Amino acid sequence: LIALTDHHQPDAGDAVGAVLCDADLAILAAPRQRYDEYASAVRQEFSLVPDDAFRLGRLTIIRAMLSRDTVFSTDTGRRRWESDARNNIEREIRDLTDMTHE
């Protein structure tokens, strides 16, 4: 189950995996301040990675999330969190993209 959190795409019919993935991704739908704290913590976790490399890697990961039909695997996750998560991710993409133009 923990390996699923690498890609957050459980197999069809894997209800337990779907719930675990959604729980792991729920932070993406947090209120703006909490999401920003999470994003900052992610950057801290990879503090040894140079800024440009981090931005490129992070953009790749979060753009991939947005390219999926849905971020969340369960109906409950989609209903409760999908819109807020997409808004937060889109804002983070804008912020990271703006940094590359400074």
Side-chain angles (χ1 to χ4, degrees):
L1 286 172
I2 298 303
L4 281 175
T5 62
D6 270 349
H7 55 81
H8 297 100
Q9 293 180 310
D11 292 333
D14 181 0
V16 173
V19 169
L20 175 67
C21 288
D22 281 7
D24 193 48
L25 293 174
I27 187 65
L28 300 177
R32 183 180 186 137
Q33 181 177 345
R34 179 63 188 106
Y35 183 89
D36 291 347
E37 290 167 356
Y38 150 78
S40 179
V42 171
R43 179 63 185 116
Q44 293 260 331
E45 183 178 350
F46 294 94
S47 62
L48 296 178
V49 177
D51 288 339
D52 289 342
F54 175 80
R55 276 192 296 273
L56 179 61
R58 183 69 178 162
L59 283 167
T60 299
I61 290 167
I62 60 180
R63 283 177 175 151
M65 283 184 198
L66 283 186
S67 73
R68 295 173 21 185
D69 291 337
T70 61
V71 173
F72 296 96
S73 299
T74 65
D75 289 337
T76 299
R78 288 188 290 272
R79 188 175 57 254
R80 285 184 169 179
W81 301 316
E82 188 78 24
S83 178
D84 289 336
R86 286 185 175 275
N87 289 335
N88 279 331
I89 294 167
E90 288 168 355
R91 185 172 50 81
E92 184 179 2
I93 288 170
R94 284 191 304 274
D95 291 348
L96 289 169
T97 302
D98 287 348
M99 289 176 166
T100 62
H101 297 118
E102 292 178 353

